[in-house]
Amino acid sequence: MYSRIVGTGAYLPEKVLTNFDLEKMMDTSDAWIRERTGIERRHIAAEGETTVDLAEHAARRAIDAAGVRPEDIDFIAFGTTTPDLIFPNCGVLLQQRLGCFGCPAFSVETACSGFIYALAIADKFVRAGDAKCALVVGAETLSRITDWSDRSTAVLFADGAGAVVLRPSSEPGILSTHLHADGSYKDLLYCNGGVSRNVVDPARARGTIAMVGNEVFKIAVTTLGKAVDEALAANGLDKSAVDWLVPHQANIRIIQAMARKLDLPLERVIVTVNEHGNTSAASVPMALDAGVRDGRIKPGQLLLLEAFGGGFTWGSALVRL
Ligand code: ACO
């Protein structure tokens, strides 16, 4: 038994913030941001619009594309680091919107790799026969934990949501998933807000993102390179077998490094970072949805999904669509 992705969906909030808008807010420039990151614009959730609001749009689109009904969903795995509430978790809040009461629903907080972690867990449940119609979501409102006075991070992060539906299949499907974490890097990328830990200013308890960008960059490239090798080796496949790289959309230069590693021209890499910046757990399912909906990714093709984020946590999934 395998699990197979049978529908994808994505959603970006309406409000667009371009690099030129940021030029008016801080000491930065469109040229610097584009050259260093590839980002041209990002979407920001409206006041009162939450992570689960974005997720619901993406989930309904994935459910429609899969040709199932919301009440058919029997498992929800939700990757996010910007939950609506401490509890109930975002998976449960989304379940309430969709009306698929009773099924397991939970969220996974592994930052940018949240969707890959959620996908790996859902895959195991489907393969074991314990879920027949699993919804996997990655959604974030990172604008709420962005330090808008810090130009080195404020230009990078933004909001969005992506989702897929998994169903059982006798054919693969998801060939394999690989998850990792290394907490010795916890101080290179983190959000300083907390619940059980004292924060300096209780009024700002949710904190803001802090990052040593150039260190994160170097480790991300090396680590993702190894993750790509691991996924291919586990399946006895050569890199030439990969039709599409669907990477975490953090920075065009990290994406280009991964494409070079796989000997893939950039035309065989789904790139959406220019449109929405780094949306953490939402970025991989949004990129997947973009490639599927515009017809570049075709049924039967082999996709390599990968992500890396705060923790550090990272992972990959080799997927036959
Ligand atoms: N506008 C203009 N100048 C800026 C800005 C800005 N927004 N931000 C920083 N600078 C300046 C710095 O102050 C510095 O100036 P100085 O030389 O006078 O001191 C100069 O630009 C270079 O700064 P660096 O941090 O060395 O720039 P770098 O080339 O490393 O680019 C960046 C920074 C884009 C953050 C890069 O390191 C990066 O992308 N890192 C990966 C981080 C990432 O993507 N993290 C997301 C989570 S992990 C993941 O998803 C992979």
Side-chain angles (χ1 to χ4, degrees), residues 55 59 63 70 72-79 89-108 118 121-122 125 131 133-137 164:
I63 287 167
D72 295 330
I73 299 297
D74 63 0
F75 187 92
I76 299 177
F78 194 128
N89 74 70
C90 283
V92 170
L93 297 176
L94 181 60
Q95 184 208 54
Q96 186 269 329
R97 306 269 185 102
L98 297 175
C100 47
F101 302 105
C103 72
F106 59 90
S107 54
V108 184
I121 298 165
F125 273 80
C133 194
L135 177 64
V136 185
V137 180
V164 303

Side-chain angles (χ1 to χ4, degrees), residues 35-67:
E35 188 184 307
R36 304 281 175 130
T37 71
I39 300 168
E40 294 165 27
R41 62 188 71 82
R42 72 277 300 136
H43 292 245
I44 304 293
E47 206 179 326
E49 193 173 32
T50 70
T51 295
V52 173
D53 291 333
L54 308 186
E56 184 181 357
H57 288 291
R60 289 193 185 279
R61 288 174 184 176
I63 287 167
D64 280 350

Side-chain angles (χ1 to χ4, degrees), residues 32-306:
W32 192 96
I33 301 171
R34 266 192 296 117
E35 188 184 307
R36 304 281 175 130
T37 71
I39 300 168
E40 294 165 27
R41 62 188 71 82
R42 72 277 300 136
H43 292 245
I44 304 293
E47 206 179 326
E49 193 173 32
T50 70
T51 295
V52 173
D53 291 333
L54 308 186
E56 184 181 357
H57 288 291
R60 289 193 185 279
R61 288 174 184 176
I63 287 167
D64 280 350
V68 299
R69 297 166 305 169
E71 54 270 33
D72 295 330
I73 299 297
D74 63 0
F75 187 92
I76 299 177
F78 194 128
T80 188
T81 18
T82 45
D84 289 26
L85 300 169
I86 292 166
F87 70 87
N89 74 70
C90 283
V92 170
L93 297 176
L94 181 60
Q95 184 208 54
Q96 186 269 329
R97 306 269 185 102
L98 297 175
C100 47
F101 302 105
C103 72
F106 59 90
S107 54
V108 184
E109 47 166 335
T110 55
C112 300
S113 63
F115 174 78
I116 298 285
Y117 265 68
L119 184 72
I121 298 165
D123 172 56
K124 302 271 184 291
F125 273 80
V126 173
R127 288 178 95 132
D130 290 334
K132 301 254 175 311
C133 194
L135 177 64
V136 185
V137 180
E140 303 278 10
T141 45
L142 292 178
S143 61
R144 305 277 155 71
I145 55 166
T146 297
D147 179 354
W148 292 101
S149 67
D150 173 12
R151 67 176 182 171
S152 69
T153 53
V155 302
L156 304 175
F157 300 104
D159 306 336
V164 303
V165 173
L166 295 184
R167 301 215 69 180
S169 165
S170 53
E171 301 283 314
I174 296 181
L175 279 83
S176 69
T177 58
H178 305 271
L179 303 179
H180 297 281
D182 187 341
S184 57
Y185 294 110
K186 69 182 175 53
D187 297 329
L188 291 185
L189 174 56
Y190 61 93
C191 177
N192 59 1
V195 179
S196 71
R197 183 167 160 172
N198 279 341
V199 287
V200 180
D201 175 3
R204 303 184 64 213
R206 68 185 166 192
T208 49
I209 300 168
M211 177 172 72
V212 187
N214 42 18
E215 286 298 309
V216 174
F217 186 92
K218 281 184 265 178
I219 299 167
V221 169
T222 319
T223 308
L224 285 171
K226 288 185 194 148
V228 164
D229 289 339
E230 177 189 38
L232 292 171
N235 293 281
L237 289 170
D238 184 76
K239 55 190 174 184
S240 60
V242 176
D243 292 303
W244 290 98
L245 175 64
V246 186
H248 172 44
Q249 309 285 320
N251 183 309
I252 191 66
R253 292 183 297 147
I254 298 176
I255 294 173
Q256 285 163 342
M258 285 312 106
R260 276 196 298 277
K261 165 101 193 146
L262 283 164
D263 284 335
L264 276 179
L266 219 46
E267 296 73 48
R268 300 249 303 279
V269 181
I270 305 296
V271 177
T272 54
V273 67
N274 54 313
E275 292 292 333
H276 55 63
N278 185 345
T279 58
S280 188
S283 94
V284 171
M286 286 205 296
L288 176 63
D289 182 67
V292 167
R293 283 187 191 254
D294 68 20
R296 277 178 294 168
I297 298 177
K298 305 210 168 17
Q301 288 188 319
L302 189 67
L303 321 178
L304 181 56
L305 281 48
E306 45 89 337

